[in-house]
Amino acid sequence: MSEREYDIVIIGGGPAGLAAGLYAARGRRRTVLLEKGVVGGQISLTELVENYPGVPTVNGFDLAQTMLKQAESQGMETEYVEVRALEPEGRRWRVRTNTDEFLAKAVIVTSGAEYNRLGVTGEERLTGKGVSYCATCDAAFFKGHDVAVVGGGDAAMDEGLFTTRYAEKVTVVHRRDELRASRVLQERAFANPKMSFTWNTVVEEILGENEVTGARLRNVASGETSEMPVSAVFIFIGQHPNTGFLEGLVPMDAGKHVIVDAWMKTERQGLFAAGDARQDSARQVASSVGDGVTAAIAADHYISESFPD
Ligand SMILES: Cc1cc2nc3c(=O)[nH]c(=O)nc-3n(C[C@H](O)[C@H](O)[C@H](O)COP(=O)(O)OP(=O)(O)OC[C@H]3O[C@@H](n4cnc5c(N)ncnc54)[C@H](O)[C@@H]3O)c2cc1C
């Protein structure tokens, strides 16, 4: 096990971490980005990104690789390790991973989030090919198509309503006989002529070879199964940020998103959080990139003030 010292350690190599890394390294701070999986985070799963300003269409993995090369060309280092714990050590932070340890003057947490999955056959294979967890990102690809929305909470109604701007018909598939969403969203959803509801029903399988062609459903009351032809299945059954390693260190909201101020500062000196891991993120590539930039600038200022030597 080795121990290395950096000015800035960035935890998570999604869009927020890569943007933070570019700015931190270009600001001549010794910077390392720690990633436990694939650089790009959620966006690396996405076939087509059409809403990153300045880049009309791009494959998500390619966009992330471009961001990585750009940050590394400015001096950012990348290590493929999983962060397990963070501890204050004097004025610095000790970052413990599954292998090495890192000492940092400032830490930027960009560990993102993961959408809860249904866990059914076809879901993983067709993610980015009709299976989506983000209507803002993907609804525009299904103009004039019939689509399904799975879930009954605020996110399902909000994103389902957004989907009606493009889709011909939006069928909400919900496992109960009533919604959990707020009254106002329910009223809007029921009043929308493009939305219909299939109650007491779960998705058992998502169908299609290279793209979604339908969903196999099961009525939980009768046990009856049926097939619904749709071009997309939008799944909104919750999301969980990857913030377990911060438990007890910083204040978080009820959903375990880190609470930060407008400069992405947490309550702890030298500890910043940006992107989907923070409270009230817009959960987009562009907003995460903006967060990462803000956090890197704030971390740079913090180091100048707190480590003048
Ligand atoms: C299928 C899909 C399609 C999408 N399409 C679009 C789109 O078209 N346009 C758009 O703007 N947005 C889209 N989004 C949303 C967008 O991808 C996210 O908002 C964005 O990726 C969030 O960036 P982030 O850097 O905050 O976190 P993430 O992208 O979640 O990245 C976090 C990274 O941190 C790593 N990590 C987590 N924990 C640890 C740890 N303990 N140690 C080390 N590394 C760790 C993860 O492996 C991951 O790589 C999509 C999301 C999904 C799931």
Side-chain angles (χ1 to χ4, degrees):
M1 188 179 68
S2 74
E3 178 189 294
R4 278 176 282 159
E5 288 194 29
Y6 285 87
D7 292 323
I8 299 178
V9 168
I10 298 166
I11 303 174
L18 292 165
L22 170 65
Y23 271 67
R26 194 161 181 270
R28 297 295 167 252
R29 297 295 183 191
R30 192 160 180 239
T31 302
V32 65
L33 179 138
L34 310 179
E35 168 56 52
K36 70 171 179 174
V38 179
V39 163
Q42 294 168 62
I43 206 63
S44 60
L45 300 173
T46 312
E47 192 81 4
L48 215 53
V49 178
E50 281 190 329
N51 55 4
Y52 189 65
V55 186
T57 56
V58 64
N59 172 276
F61 183 81
D62 294 344
L63 177 63
Q65 289 301 311
T66 308
M67 288 182 183
L68 176 66
K69 280 190 199 121
Q70 190 181 4
E72 286 185 336
S73 74
Q74 293 294 334
M76 184 189 83
E77 295 173 36
T78 312
E79 294 289 338
Y80 291 90
V81 294
E82 178 173 354
V83 173
R84 298 270 167 85
L86 260 186
E87 287 156 28
E89 190 166 302
R91 286 184 302 156
R92 291 168 203 253
W93 287 94
R94 178 171 292 275
V95 182
R96 294 191 196 277
T97 75
N98 54 326
T99 54
D100 301 337
E101 299 201 348
F102 300 82
L103 266 181
K105 293 174 182 164
V107 172
I108 303 175
V109 176
T110 48
S111 48
E114 281 167 35
Y115 288 91
N116 295 340
R117 319 258 154 173
L118 289 171
V120 299
T121 306
E123 182 179 14
E124 198 179 329
R125 184 167 44 85
L126 294 165
T127 291
K129 296 168 182 157
V131 171
S132 172
Y133 304 86
C134 175
T136 315
C137 314
D138 296 330
F141 296 123
F142 300 98
K143 198 160 184 239
H145 289 251
D146 290 356
V147 306
V149 163
V150 184
D154 279 349
M157 289 313 105
D158 200 27
E159 303 259 351
L161 282 161
F162 183 83
T163 308
T164 63
R165 296 186 196 182
Y166 304 95
E168 182 63 26
K169 185 177 167 203
V170 177
T171 305
V172 176
V173 178
H174 188 40
R175 63 188 165 145
R176 299 190 211 286
D177 59 1
E178 60 180 356
L179 301 173
R180 263 185 306 110
S182 63
R183 193 53 63 191
V184 60
L185 280 172
Q186 291 198 30
E187 281 169 10
R188 264 191 243 150
F190 291 139
N192 190 305
K194 283 189 174 178
M195 280 181 97
S196 64
F197 295 81
T198 300
W199 302 108
N200 294 314
T201 300
V202 293
V203 173
E204 279 205 328
E205 184 178 348
I206 299 174
L207 308 168
E209 277 305 313
N210 299 318
E211 56 183 28
V212 170
T213 55
R216 195 153 54 76
L217 309 178
R218 182 171 54 85
N219 185 299
V220 290
S222 67
E224 251 175 57
T225 58
S226 59
E227 279 188 18
M228 178 174 56
V230 284
S231 307
V233 179
F234 288 91
I235 301 164
F236 304 109
I237 54 167
Q239 183 242 30
H240 55 278
N242 303 314
T243 53
F245 60 91
L246 292 173
E247 204 72 58
L249 260 188
V250 284
M252 298 188 206
D253 66 12
K256 305 286 180 201
H257 300 90
V258 182
I259 296 173
V260 292
D261 69 9
W263 277 102
M264 307 299 142
K265 289 181 194 171
T266 71
E267 204 178 64
R268 305 292 297 257
Q269 291 280 306
L271 184 57
F272 304 80
D276 281 16
R278 74 153 169 109
Q279 188 185 36
D280 290 337
S281 162
R283 295 181 195 162
Q284 294 293 290
V285 177
S287 60
S288 300
V289 160
D291 273 10
V293 169
T294 305
I297 293 172
D300 182 67
H301 290 171
Y302 167 76
I303 292 171
S304 296
E305 284 158 15
S306 305
F307 298 84
D309 32 334

